[in-house]
C-alpha cells in the first residue's frame, strides 16, 4: 500500500465488494443536515441513513456540519466524505466503508452554505450530536442560559455576525427557512438527555425569543406548525479512534483512512413518531418508531449511561483505564447489576425489561475487543451525572423518606462518591483526569479547611442540586465512601 493511497471515490473500485458502501454515494443528494461531525454520528445515524437509502432506493444523503473542527471537515473532503467503520467483535473485526455523508461544512466559515441548505425545500431533516454542553442549558431553569458567554455573544452578533453556538446557528437558519416559506422540517436531537427533543425545542425557541429580530414572534408562530422536535434514544458504544484503529482499517481496506471509526456490534435507535416532513425510512435498518420514547429513553439513560458513568468514575479512582478492565475486577459486574436493580423502580412501564437489559450490558461492557477509555466516558461529568444519576436519586430518596431504610440508593451514592473523588484539583500524579467544563468551580470546592461533607455539599451546589446538598444523610453517605476510593478501593 502506497502512503499516497487515500480512501476516496477514486479508490473504491480497488476494494472488495464486501468493503464498499451499501449505496453509491454519487447517487445521493443532501436531504439531511447533521450538526456534529464526531465518531458517534458516523458510526450510528450515518449507518442507519445509508442502509435506509440502499434498501429504499431513495437518495438520502447527509451533509455534516462541524461546529468547531475545520480540520475534520478538510480531512473528510479529502476523502470525498468517505470513511470506514470497524465493528469490534469478540470473534474478529469487520470493516467496511460508509457512503451516506455527501458533504462536509465548517459551521463558522461555511455559515452561508449552512443557511442555504436549511432553507432548501429538499432538506427535510436536521439531526444533532453536539453533546449535552452544546445546548448551553441553565442549571436552574433548564432553558437556554442567556448569560453564558458564547450565547450572549451570539445574541449580540449582527445579522451577518459570526455565530459560535449550534443553538444560535440552528435558530438563525430555521428563522431564514420560516421567512422563505419553505416546507416543514424535523429537527432530531440524538444526544443523551432525558426529553432531548423538548430540550432542543426550548433552547432554540429561547434564542429566537431573546433575539432582537423584529419578526421573532412571527418566526415562533411559524415554527410551532412547521418544525417538529421529536425525542429519540440512540445507543452504540463508539470509543475514541486511536492509531491502532486506523492501522486496522488500513490493513482491511488496502488504503489509508484518516477518519476511521470503530464501534461495538450493538446499535439501537428509538424515535418519537412525530415527524412533520419526509424522512429516511430508518425502520428498514431496525430503527423503532414509537408514540412515546420515554420508557426507552429513561432505561437507556439511567441504566446504560448511568452504569457507564459509574464504572468510569469508580474505575478511574481504582487506577484503571478502560471499561473492559473494570468488568474484569471483582466489583465491575456487581456495580452494573446492582445499579440497574436499584434504579429499576424509577423507570416507567412499557420499556425494556431491566433484568434482561442488565444482562445485555454485562455482555457489551465485557467485549474484549472494545477499548473504551474511562477518561472519555467520564468527561463532562458535571453535565452527564445531572441527567444520568440525580433524577433517579431524588426519586429513590423521596420514596424511602418515610421508611426505616437507612440508605435509599447505596450504589448511586457510591457512584457519586467516585465522581466527587475525581473532582479534586489535579496533581502531578493524576494522569486520568476527565475534562469538565466546570473543572475550575469543582476544584475550588476542595480546600484544606473544608470537611469532606462540606466538600460534597459544595460540589452538589455547583451541579445546581441544592436540594441534595441540603440532604444530611446523602452527603454523609457520600463522604463516608471517599477514604476507600482515595485508597483505590471500590467497596459495594
Amino acid at each position: 500500500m502506497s502512503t499516497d493511497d487515500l480512501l476516496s471515490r477514486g479508490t473504491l473500485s480497488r476494494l472488495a465488494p464486501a468493503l464498499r458502501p451499501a449505496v453509491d454515494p454519487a447517487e445521493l443528494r443532501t436531504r439531511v443536515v447533521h450538526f456534529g461531525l464526531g465518531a458517534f454520528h458516523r458510526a450510528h445515524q450515518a449507518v442507519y441513513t445509508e442502509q435506509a437509502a440502499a434498501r429504499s432506493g431513495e437518495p438520502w444523503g447527509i451533509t455534516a456540519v462541524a461546529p468547531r473542527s475545520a480540520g475534520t471537515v478538510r480531512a473528510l473532503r479529502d476523502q470525498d466524505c468517505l470513511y470506514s467503520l470497524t465493528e469490534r467483535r469478540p470473534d474478529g473485526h469487520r470493516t467496511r466503508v460508509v457512503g451516506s455523508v455527501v458533504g462536509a461544512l465548517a459551521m463558522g466559515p461555511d455559515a452561508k452554505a449552512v443557511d442555504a441548505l436549511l432553507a432548501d425545500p429538499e432538506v427535510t431533516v436536521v439531526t444533532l450530536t453536539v453533546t449535552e454542553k452544546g445546548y448551553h442549558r441553565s442549571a436552574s431553569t433548564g432553558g437556554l442560559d442567556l448569560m453564558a458567554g458564547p450565547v450572549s455573544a451570539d445574541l449580540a452578533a449582527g445579522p451577518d455576525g459570526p455565530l459560535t453556538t449550534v443553538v444560535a446557528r440552528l435558530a438563525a437558519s430555521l428563522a431564514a427557512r420560516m421567512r422563505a416559506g419553505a416546507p416543514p422540517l424535523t429537527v432530531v436531537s440524538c444526544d443523551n438527555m432525558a426529553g432531548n427533543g423538548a430540550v432542543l425545542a426550548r433552547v432554540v425557541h429561547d434564542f429566537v425569543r431573546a433575539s432582537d429580530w423584529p419578526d421573532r414572534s412571527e418566526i415562533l408562530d411559524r415554527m410551532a406548525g412547521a418544525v417538529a422536535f421529536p425525542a429519540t434514544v440512540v445507543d452504540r458504544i463508539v470509543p475514541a479512534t486511536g492509531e491502532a484503529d486506523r492501522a486496522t482499517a488500513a490493513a482491511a481496506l488496502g488504503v489509508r483512512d484518516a477518519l476511521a471509526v470503530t464501534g461495538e456490534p450493538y446499535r439501537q435507535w428509538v424515535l418519537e413518531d412525530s415527524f412533520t416532513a419526509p424522512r429516511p425510512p430508518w425502520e428498514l435498518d431496525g430503527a423503532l418508531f414509537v408514540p412515546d420514547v420515554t420508557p426507552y429513553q429513561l432505561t437507556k439513560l439511567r441504566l446504560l449511561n448511568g452504569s457507564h458513568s459509574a464504572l468510569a468514575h469508580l474505575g478511574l479512582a481504582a487506577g484503571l483505564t478502560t471499561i473492559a478492565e473494570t468488568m474484569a475486577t471483582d466489583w465491575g459486574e456487581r456495580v452494573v447489576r446492582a445499579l440497574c436493580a436499584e434504579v429499576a423502580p424509577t423507570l416507567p412501564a412499557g420499556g425494556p425489561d431491566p433484568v434482561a437489559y442488565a444482562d445485555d450490558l454485562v455482555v457489551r461492557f465485557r467485549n474484549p475487543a472494545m477499548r473504551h477509555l474511562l477518561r472519555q466516558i467520564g468527561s463532562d461529568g458535571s453535565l452527564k451525572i445531572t441527567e444520568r444519576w440525580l433524577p433517579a436519586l431524588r426519586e429513590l430518596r423521596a420514596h424511602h423518606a418515610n421508611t426505616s431504610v437507612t440508605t435509599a440508593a447505596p450504589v448511586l451514592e457510591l457512584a457519586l462518591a467516585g465522581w466527587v473523588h475525581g473532582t479534586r484539583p489535579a496533581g502531578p500524579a493524576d494522569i486520568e483526569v476527565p475534562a469538565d467544563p466546570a473543572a475550575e468551580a469543582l476544584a475550588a470546592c476542595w480546600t484544606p479547611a473544608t470537611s469532606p461533607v462540606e466538600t460534597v455539599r459544595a460540589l452538589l451546589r455547583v451541579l445546581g442540586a441544592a436540594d441534595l446538598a441540603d440532604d444530611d444523610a446523602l452527603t454523609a453517605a457520600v463522604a463516608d465512601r471517599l477514604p476507600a476510593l482515595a485508597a483505590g478501593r471500590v467497596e459495594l
Side-chain angles (χ1 to χ4, degrees):
M1 179 177 62
S2 166
T3 57
D4 294 328
D5 287 340
L6 188 67
L7 178 62
S8 67
R9 293 189 184 184
T11 57
L12 275 183
S13 60
R14 302 187 206 170
L15 275 57
L19 299 174
R20 298 175 192 168
V23 65
D24 182 353
E27 296 181 354
L28 303 181
R29 303 193 303 273
T30 297
R31 299 180 69 181
V32 177
V33 172
H34 180 80
F35 284 89
L37 203 44
F40 184 82
H41 167 68
R42 287 180 277 141
H44 190 274
Q45 298 95 28
V47 176
Y48 279 96
T49 302
E50 180 191 53
Q51 292 297 325
R55 296 176 186 185
S56 68
E58 300 169 2
W60 290 100
I62 302 168
T63 287
V65 180
R68 289 172 300 277
S69 181
T72 303
V73 171
R74 287 193 297 272
L76 199 56
R77 288 173 177 171
D78 287 344
Q79 297 185 177
D80 296 327
C81 295
L82 298 172
Y83 62 90
S84 65
L85 167 65
T86 297
E87 288 189 353
R88 297 185 183 182
R89 295 176 173 268
D91 58 350
H93 296 335
R94 299 183 190 176
T95 301
R96 74 169 187 85
V97 175
V98 179
S100 57
V101 180
V102 296
L105 300 172
M107 191 176 78
D110 299 321
K112 291 188 182 302
V114 174
D115 274 350
L117 278 178
L118 266 76
D120 185 344
E122 194 166 39
V123 172
T124 56
V125 176
V126 176
T127 54
L128 292 87
T129 50
V130 295
T131 75
E132 293 94 329
K133 62 185 175 183
Y135 293 74
H136 297 281
R137 298 172 72 192
S138 164
S140 58
T141 70
L144 184 64
D145 184 357
L146 301 178
M147 303 306 294
V151 175
S152 60
D154 283 351
L155 285 169
D160 298 318
L163 299 175
T164 63
T165 68
V166 171
V167 172
R169 181 75 272 152
L170 182 57
S173 295
L174 289 175
R177 186 180 181 98
M178 297 301 98
R179 293 177 184 125
L185 182 78
T186 304
V187 186
V188 185
S189 169
C190 301
D191 287 298
N192 286 318
M193 298 181 296
N196 52 11
V199 168
L200 178 57
R202 179 168 178 183
V203 294
V204 169
H205 291 163
D206 284 352
F207 188 92
V208 176
R209 197 174 292 111
S211 74
D212 60 1
W213 304 335
D215 58 348
R216 58 186 178 275
S217 295
E218 290 84 352
I219 290 169
L220 289 169
D221 288 343
R222 291 174 189 169
M223 286 177 60
V227 183
F229 295 87
T232 65
V233 182
V234 296
D235 192 2
R236 188 174 208 174
I237 297 173
V238 181
T241 304
E243 286 304 321
D245 300 312
R246 283 184 276 273
T248 296
L253 299 172
V255 294
R256 290 185 300 113
D257 178 8
L259 291 170
V261 294
T262 68
E264 66 170 333
Y266 180 93
R267 58 187 169 95
Q268 181 192 51
W269 199 2
V270 185
L271 303 99
E272 179 185 0
D273 196 5
S274 61
F275 284 62
T276 58
R279 59 164 178 80
W282 291 310
E283 64 272 23
L284 296 180
D285 194 36
L288 183 62
F289 287 85
V290 298
D292 181 10
V293 305
T294 302
Y296 298 88
Q297 194 168 55
L298 286 179
T299 299
K300 193 258 180 174
L301 193 67
R302 295 185 180 181
L303 301 194
L304 184 143
N305 297 130
S307 59
H308 227 193
S309 286
L311 291 176
H313 294 293
L314 295 172
L316 289 169
L320 304 176
T321 304
T322 68
I323 286 290
E325 288 175 3
T326 69
M327 296 301 288
T329 67
D330 61 357
W331 53 264
E333 179 178 343
R334 289 193 294 141
V335 164
V336 174
R337 293 192 183 279
L339 186 145
C340 290
E342 182 173 284
V343 172
T346 73
L347 301 174
D353 173 64
V355 175
Y357 197 88
D359 290 340
D360 287 343
L361 290 182
V362 169
V363 172
R364 294 170 64 188
F365 290 168
R366 276 182 170 169
N367 184 345
M370 298 293 288
R371 184 174 168 77
H372 207 176
L373 297 177
L374 304 181
R375 186 176 66 249
Q376 178 192 6
I377 301 161
S379 66
D380 303 333
S382 65
L383 298 175
K384 291 177 179 176
I385 70 171
T386 58
E387 293 279 349
R388 300 176 181 188
W389 298 345
L390 302 193
L393 183 59
R394 288 185 175 101
E395 288 185 43
L396 290 169
R397 295 191 71 78
H399 180 71
H400 290 90
N402 298 316
T403 71
S404 59
V405 176
T406 55
T407 177
V411 188
L412 285 174
E413 290 166 1
L414 171 63
L416 191 56
W419 172 78
V420 167
H421 174 78
T423 63
R424 296 162 302 130
D430 292 313
I431 300 173
E432 301 291 336
V433 178
D436 196 294
E440 188 174 336
L442 297 172
C445 296
W446 293 82
T447 65
T450 305
S451 71
V453 169
E454 287 305 314
T455 297
V456 173
R457 292 187 197 281
L459 289 166
L460 287 170
R461 290 192 180 101
V462 171
L463 297 183
D467 59 324
L468 298 178
D470 292 336
D471 187 325
D472 294 339
L474 172 64
T475 54
V478 172
D480 287 346
R481 299 279 197 172
L482 295 176
L485 292 172
R489 301 193 311 273
V490 177
E491 299 176 347
L492 275 173

